[in-house]
């Protein structure tokens, strides 16, 4: 892939991700249940790396070819500028991605250190704390329940074994309130949220420069919390009682630093939004909607269709692209893979990119005039 092709791919992918984020937000309005909304965001964080992979590995449809009207000098000048721009942007992206990756690894390391200093709740204390239903869930997922002196709020992790961490101060709340926290954290484990959070973080490292991805990430985190709040209410815990628990957590969380885990309330403003939503639901005496797998699948299928269509959306910025075909060539690596499987794939432009400006001269008749 040449520098001008790489720049075209980078700009096209950025546009595709922006449109995909917008589509996801519009679809959220059509499917307002938190479960369906979260299914959409789950699919979104899988679609983003797929769009990047498609940009690197698939040919593109070129409907508009604005460069066919440019003269040879303009093509060469634009190619020089774009080559320089591509090199600068790739260097900035690499630096940003490395910084984000190092930051993520450091946070995970800090989290591991924090776990190392946590106190494990004894089985006797646990038995006193859990009611029958919670006891069944604990037997199913077998999480380690840890008490921390440093945690920002309650959170869960899943590495080789699930872990639920509760700050010591919150562990001293009334027993019912601690149970609410545990029901909420178990709901995260039931729905496989730690893995989805990991994928979300990885996408943020790749697309660190894109504001749509950051916005989507905070949106997905909030919807994930809504889902688990609904699970708590679905367990028969009254809105007012659960709101009191949220309030105690908000008091504790204050302005402590967030870690890259599924924290009960990453920020006080997030807790405020969740509390506001619960107050509205309680005010309207709304029953928490049950999960609708059919609607969730429909929402995800619609988003996947949009993502498939977006793979062919490209910004025609490459001045050296052939104007004699509506399809770009296959990138070298995917073409080679297809050749190995015996599938013919065009992995070169219709004419050599190095002589593209001279071809342009022929097309416009300037070459003949210069020779004649
Ligand atoms: Zn949570």
């Amino acid at each position: 892939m040449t520098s001008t092709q790489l720049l075209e791919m980078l700009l096209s992918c950025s546009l595709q991700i922006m449109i995909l984020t917008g589509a996801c937000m519009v679809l959220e309005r059509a499917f307002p249940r938190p479960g369906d909304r979260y299914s959409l965001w789950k699919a979104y964080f899988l679609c983003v790396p797929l769009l990047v992979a498609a940009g690197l590995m698939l040919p593109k449809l070129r409907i508009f070819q604005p460069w066919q009207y440019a003269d040879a000098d303009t093509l060469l000048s634009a190619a020089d500028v774009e080559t320089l721009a591509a090199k600068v942007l790739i260097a900035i992206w690499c630096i940003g991605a490395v910084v984000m990756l190092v930051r993520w690894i450091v946070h995970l390391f800090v989290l591991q250190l924090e776990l190392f200093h946590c106190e494990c709740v004894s089985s006797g204390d646990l038995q006193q704390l859990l009611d029958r239903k919670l006891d069944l869930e604990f037997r199913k997922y077998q999480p380690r329940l840890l008490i921390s002196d440093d945690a920002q709020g309650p959170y869960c992790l899943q590495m080789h074994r699930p872990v639920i961490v509760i700050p010591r101060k919150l562990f001293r709340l009334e027993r019912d309130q601690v149970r609410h926290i545990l029901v909420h954290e178990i709901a995260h484990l039931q729905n496989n949220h730690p893995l989805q959070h990991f994928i979300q973080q990885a996408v943020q490292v790749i697309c660190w420069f894109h504001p749509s991805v950051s916005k989507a990430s905070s949106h997905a985190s909030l919807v994930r919390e809504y889902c688990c709040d609904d699970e708590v209410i679905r367990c028969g815990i009254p809105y007012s009682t659960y709101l009191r628990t949220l309030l105690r957590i908000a008091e504790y969380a204050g302005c402590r630093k967030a870690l890259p885990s599924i924290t009960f309330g990453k920020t006080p403003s997030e807790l405020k939004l969740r509390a506001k939503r619960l107050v509205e639901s309680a005010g309207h005496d709304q029953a928490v909607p049950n999960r609708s797998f059919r609607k969730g699948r429909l929402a995800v299928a619609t988003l996947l269709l949009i993502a498939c269509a977006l793979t062919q959306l490209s910004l025609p910025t490459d001045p050296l692209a052939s104007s004699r075909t509506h399809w770009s060539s296959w990138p070298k690596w995917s073409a080679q893979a297809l050749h190995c499987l015996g599938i013919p794939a065009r992995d070169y432009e219709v004419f050599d990119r190095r002589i593209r400006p001279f071809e342009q001269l022929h097309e416009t008749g300037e070459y003949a005039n210069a020779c004649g």
Side-chain angles (χ1 to χ4, degrees):
M1 207 177 243
T2 62
S3 298
T4 51
Q5 284 174 322
L6 206 60
L7 184 72
E8 185 174 283
M9 183 283 234
L10 201 69
L11 295 174
S12 302
C13 268
S14 301
L15 179 68
Q16 290 166 4
I17 291 169
M18 197 176 81
I19 295 174
L20 189 74
T21 312
C24 203
M25 286 185 170
V26 171
L27 280 171
E28 258 196 314
R29 290 167 189 242
F31 299 92
R33 295 168 193 237
D36 299 338
R37 288 168 67 188
Y38 191 63
S39 298
L40 275 170
W41 288 113
K42 263 194 302 186
Y44 170 89
F45 282 103
L46 291 175
C47 285
V48 170
L50 288 178
L51 283 179
V52 177
L56 286 167
M57 300 176 79
L58 294 181
K60 292 276 184 309
L61 185 63
R62 287 179 183 145
I63 299 170
F64 305 109
Q65 298 180 337
W67 295 103
Q68 63 181 315
Y69 305 110
D71 58 42
D73 287 340
T74 311
L75 288 181
L76 286 174
S77 309
D80 287 345
V81 171
E82 286 195 13
T83 302
L84 182 67
K87 284 177 182 167
V88 171
L89 288 178
I90 293 295
I92 294 172
W93 176 81
C94 286
I95 293 167
V98 168
V99 169
M100 289 292 287
L101 189 64
V102 169
R103 216 179 100 184
W104 186 22
I105 292 169
V106 167
H107 280 168
L108 287 176
F109 182 70
V110 170
L111 210 57
Q112 281 296 323
L113 274 182
E114 194 179 294
L115 292 185
F116 188 70
H117 291 108
C118 285
E119 181 192 326
C120 193
V121 176
S122 67
S123 55
D125 287 347
L126 199 60
Q127 284 307 316
Q128 283 184 348
L129 184 67
L130 304 180
D131 57 15
R132 197 166 158 271
K133 199 179 171 199
L134 253 181
D135 189 38
L136 282 175
E137 295 296 339
F138 262 71
R139 282 174 200 273
K140 191 173 170 188
Y141 294 98
Q142 299 191 329
R144 285 168 66 214
L145 182 59
L146 303 176
I147 300 172
S148 165
D149 291 316
D150 309 311
Q152 177 220 3
Y155 64 85
C156 66
L157 284 172
Q158 180 144 21
M159 290 174 187
H160 54 281
R161 189 180 160 185
V163 177
I164 295 176
V165 179
I166 300 187
R168 191 177 297 279
K169 214 171 167 184
L170 293 181
F171 193 69
R172 289 181 186 144
L173 292 178
E174 289 170 28
R175 198 167 292 177
D176 278 347
Q177 289 183 317
V178 180
R179 275 193 204 121
H180 300 165
I181 294 172
L182 292 179
V183 172
H184 178 100
E185 297 305 329
I186 286 281
H188 277 307
L189 297 176
Q190 275 172 338
N191 292 296
N192 224 354
H193 287 170
L195 174 66
Q196 288 146 21
H197 184 255
F198 181 85
I199 295 170
Q200 189 180 315
Q201 293 272 316
V203 172
Q204 275 190 279
V205 169
I206 300 168
C207 301
W208 63 268
F209 59 92
H210 210 301
S212 291
V213 174
S214 312
K215 196 174 174 185
S217 184
S218 49
H219 217 77
S221 300
L222 186 62
V223 177
R224 189 161 49 221
E225 296 306 320
Y226 287 168
C227 289
C228 295
D229 288 344
D230 283 358
E231 288 290 334
V232 177
I233 300 298
R234 222 176 267 127
C235 284
I237 294 161
Y239 282 104
S240 55
T241 317
Y242 185 53
L243 277 165
R244 271 198 294 277
T245 307
L246 281 185
L247 185 66
R248 296 304 297 269
I249 293 165
E251 280 171 1
Y252 174 80
C255 54
R256 283 165 178 253
K257 228 176 164 184
L259 287 170
S261 56
I262 302 179
T263 311
F264 201 99
K266 267 198 184 294
T267 57
S269 59
E270 191 181 273
L271 280 166
K272 206 168 135 188
L273 284 170
R274 287 166 55 192
K276 191 174 167 228
R277 176 178 161 272
L278 287 170
V279 167
E280 280 169 4
S281 300
H284 294 112
D285 204 20
Q286 284 175 353
V288 174
N290 286 322
R291 275 175 285 181
S292 157
F293 289 107
R294 200 188 295 169
K295 277 197 167 185
R297 281 177 192 162
L298 180 64
V300 170
T302 312
L303 189 74
L304 288 178
L305 275 176
I306 293 170
C308 286
L310 283 174
T311 57
Q312 288 309 311
L313 176 75
S314 70
L315 285 170
T317 59
D318 185 0
L320 299 179
S322 165
S323 58
R324 291 191 181 179
T325 171
H326 286 297
W327 287 92
S328 68
S329 56
W330 282 79
K332 205 174 175 183
W333 36 72
S334 49
Q336 278 176 347
L338 288 173
H339 290 162
C340 288
L341 295 170
I343 302 168
R346 184 170 63 80
D347 56 348
Y348 54 88
E349 284 289 359
V350 171
F351 21 62
D352 193 317
R353 306 177 66 78
R354 285 168 299 181
I355 59 166
R356 170 71 184 124
F358 300 103
E359 291 283 351
Q360 188 78 350
L361 280 177
H362 270 294
E363 283 168 21
T364 52
E366 288 174 34
Y367 185 77
N369 292 341
C371 292

